[in-house]
Amino acid sequence: MDNKKALIFINGDAPKTLPVTERYDIVACSDGAFHYLKSMNFPLHKLDFISGDFDSHSGADESLYAEKFIHTPDQDKTDFGKSLEILIEKGAKTVDVFGGSGGEMDHFLGNLTVAYSFKDKIEIKFFDEFSTYYFIPKDFILKDVKGKLISLYPFPVAENVVTRGLNWPLNSETLKITDRIGTRNFAVDDEIRISYQSGDLLIFVGGNYL
């Protein structure tokens, strides 16, 4: 089956609560995330693989789960990017990412850049304690979000952006990372619609804004 749903933990801030692994066909982590999963008593036997250069890993569990480790020493690629390559090889079409934010901010920005480079190969959604965020297609509908914080972030430009259902609508406007971005808006309808003509756009969906 080449339409698998994957879950991966990477080396940012550990999630406050762990997702239900039974929802996924593949469960994985990068080597740095292995530490916090152990400390959270995550059932390590549920991991299908642990990938990375292992520069941040040590301990007896390396031997216990040796068959699950995939060594990816290429220093020209990030552990996250190398993990995505493995997931694609294993038939994953979508992946939920935990641990993508927090920690050192260059890692966070690097993770967004990696997600951008893979966005046409695999559908990537990030989850943290504040929001869910991901790149959206040119025509996009999101339901059941009334009252939630909605931020739009161009990467680096999104042209002719039109929104419906947000408190501060956009009408064929251009967002630029160096000029105007679309953060800290909120949904006034259960369903919001977003379209744009060219460029790329990240959406952040947070908790209740009001």
Side-chain angles (χ1 to χ4, degrees):
M1 182 176 68
D2 290 329
N3 193 23
K4 297 176 181 176
K5 185 175 179 63
L7 164 67
I8 189 164
F9 300 93
I10 60 178
N11 195 21
D13 282 350
K16 299 297 184 184
T17 57
L18 293 169
V20 178
T21 57
E22 284 72 20
R23 299 173 182 171
Y24 300 94
D25 302 299
I26 305 171
V27 180
C29 75
S30 63
D31 63 335
F34 195 71
H35 293 299
Y36 68 66
L37 290 179
K38 285 196 297 182
S39 69
M40 297 176 73
N41 295 316
F42 179 85
L44 298 175
H45 67 276
K46 292 188 176 182
L47 292 171
D48 292 289
F49 68 86
I50 305 103
S51 70
D53 51 24
F54 307 132
D55 58 356
S56 59
H57 177 82
S58 63
D61 284 314
E62 184 171 3
S63 297
L64 184 61
Y65 295 100
E67 77 284 355
K68 296 180 182 289
F69 281 80
I70 300 176
H71 190 220
T72 53
D74 188 347
Q75 292 300 311
D76 292 329
K77 299 178 181 179
T78 67
D79 285 346
F80 180 36
K82 289 179 281 189
S83 297
L84 291 176
E85 290 177 346
I86 296 169
L87 289 174
I88 292 169
E89 289 175 0
K90 291 181 176 293
K93 293 297 184 183
T94 64
V95 57
D96 290 347
V97 181
F98 288 76
S101 59
E104 297 174 343
M105 291 309 294
D106 58 336
H107 278 172
F108 170 63
L109 294 174
N111 290 336
L112 293 181
T113 301
V114 170
Y116 174 80
S117 68
F118 278 86
K119 66 182 178 62
D120 295 325
K121 301 175 184 177
I122 185 170
E123 183 181 324
I124 303 167
K125 283 189 175 182
F126 293 91
F127 294 81
D128 64 25
E129 63 177 309
F130 302 108
S131 61
T132 302
Y133 51 101
Y134 46 95
F135 287 95
I136 61 173
K138 298 292 191 295
D139 292 289
F140 180 71
I141 297 174
L142 188 61
K143 298 181 179 181
D144 301 320
V145 290
K146 186 174 183 179
K148 290 188 178 297
L149 175 69
I150 304 291
S151 289
L152 301 178
Y153 193 81
F155 206 86
V157 178
E159 297 182 326
N160 294 324
V161 181
V162 177
T163 67
R164 298 290 181 267
L166 296 181
N167 189 62
W168 295 286
L170 297 174
N171 295 293
S172 299
E173 298 173 53
T174 295
L175 300 180
K176 294 182 181 180
I177 195 173
T178 56
D179 183 15
R180 182 189 182 192
I181 56 177
T183 58
R184 314 305 293 182
N185 210 331
F186 67 93
V188 293
D189 296 327
D190 282 335
E191 178 180 285
I192 63 171
R193 294 173 177 261
I194 302 166
S195 65
Y196 58 104
Q197 188 173 39
S198 61
D200 289 286
L201 196 59
L202 271 165
I203 189 169
F204 291 77
V205 182
N208 291 332
Y209 189 75
L210 299 176

